Amino acid sequence: MDVSAPAAPGLGGQINARHILVLLAFAALCAVASTQVGSGLGGQALLALAAGLCTAGVAIGAVYLHGLYLAGLKRRVISTYLANDHSYCFIADDIGRITFANAAAQKALPTEIGQTLAFALKDLMGNPGTLLTRMQIRTVETGGADEDVTTRRGHLRLKATALGENEIAWRIEETRDAPIRAGRGPSLPTVTIGRRNAILSMNESARHFVGDRARSLMDIFPEGVPEHGQISVARNGENCILAR
């Protein structure tokens, strides 16, 4: 049994293979100690303790293995359900590493098993790590999270669903019904920001105004992020202009 195996679902994330092995090891030590003490009261007590620890270890181990079986079964069912979805679907562990990607995601995105979901989505949106972290926190707390993001290519609808203690299923639906189209006139530069002024997305006008994709508002306002209505210096390509 792999001592680095994940915690068993249904036990509050508290029991894993390492705890079971430690319990069985103590049972073995008590059994060995009982043979050294002899058949007296102390030896009988140690033998009874060894039997109790062994029984507890076997029982907890059975629950642990059953939990892993149910988690694996649930994962296989969900993977099968997501496999032919036309949206980009992933399963990632608790630190964001991809363990499953459906055909649509593998075809359209730089997807490899073991890499992070943030890396796979880097071409879809600016600074995806901030958004994914926020959604992951809500998913752990409530079991799921949804976000709608506007990008230069259109709209993204992200949905996260908890799959137990250590994995999250992600579904990213991309619609291209709202990108900037030629002939409709110029659009105002627009950015979507998250915590600590991180830029989550920029429309095409904003990218053209700044000259490239900015990661933070400080990349746009080099002298400091302005307050509402305040005139500030903004980067405009290789130059700077006054903006409000």
Side-chain angles (χ1 to χ4, degrees):
M1 185 181 294
D2 182 6
V3 297
S4 63
L11 295 178
Q14 300 300 315
I15 300 297
N16 59 29
R18 183 178 292 107
H19 297 113
I20 298 171
L21 290 179
V22 169
L23 194 62
L24 294 177
F26 271 113
L29 287 175
C30 289
V32 172
S34 69
T35 63
Q36 301 297 319
V37 172
S39 58
L41 185 60
Q44 293 177 4
L46 285 172
L47 191 59
L49 179 59
L53 290 173
C54 186
T55 301
V58 171
I60 294 174
V63 174
Y64 171 80
L65 292 176
H66 182 65
L68 291 183
Y69 169 76
L70 292 179
L73 181 62
K74 180 180 180 181
R75 187 183 186 281
R76 288 193 296 273
V77 170
I78 293 177
S79 297
T80 301
Y81 174 76
L82 298 177
N84 297 318
D85 196 314
H86 294 298
S87 298
Y88 311 139
C89 299
F90 302 89
I91 295 176
D93 63 16
D94 54 354
I95 61 174
R97 292 177 304 192
I98 296 170
T99 58
F100 166 84
N102 72 349
Q106 294 183 47
K107 181 178 180 180
L109 302 174
T111 301
E112 292 183 8
I113 302 301
Q115 76 179 19
T116 64
L117 183 59
F119 180 84
L121 301 182
K122 65 183 178 64
D123 293 331
L124 286 183
M125 68 182 80
N127 196 18
T130 301
L131 174 63
L132 295 177
T133 298
R134 184 168 70 245
M135 291 185 65
Q136 181 174 345
I137 292 173
R138 292 210 312 270
T139 300
V140 171
E141 293 175 348
T142 66
D146 296 272
E147 289 274 359
D148 289 297
V149 179
T150 301
T151 72
R152 71 186 188 279
R153 294 166 51 164
H155 286 88
L156 293 177
R157 172 162 291 179
L158 290 82
K159 181 177 181 60
T161 304
L163 298 183
E165 296 286 343
N166 301 303
E167 286 190 316
I168 294 176
W170 297 85
R171 185 176 186 272
I172 296 94
E173 181 181 0
E174 184 178 19
T175 59
R176 301 176 185 270
D177 57 353
I180 299 171
R181 294 180 174 87
R184 293 194 176 183
S187 174
L188 288 175
T190 303
V191 298
T192 303
I193 62 172
R195 296 178 181 177
R196 299 181 181 179
N197 294 323
I199 295 178
L200 303 180
S201 65
M202 302 174 65
N203 69 0
E204 192 66 29
S205 292
R207 290 172 179 268
H208 179 74
F209 178 86
V210 176
D212 57 17
R213 185 171 66 181
R215 301 290 185 181
S216 167
L217 284 182
M218 290 300 296
D219 295 335
I220 301 177
F221 300 100
E223 295 187 1
V225 179
E227 299 292 336
H228 178 69
Q230 177 184 350
I231 296 177
S232 181
V233 175
R235 185 160 66 91
N236 181 221
E238 298 182 356
N239 303 310
C240 290
I241 64 172
L242 293 178
R244 174 179 290 179

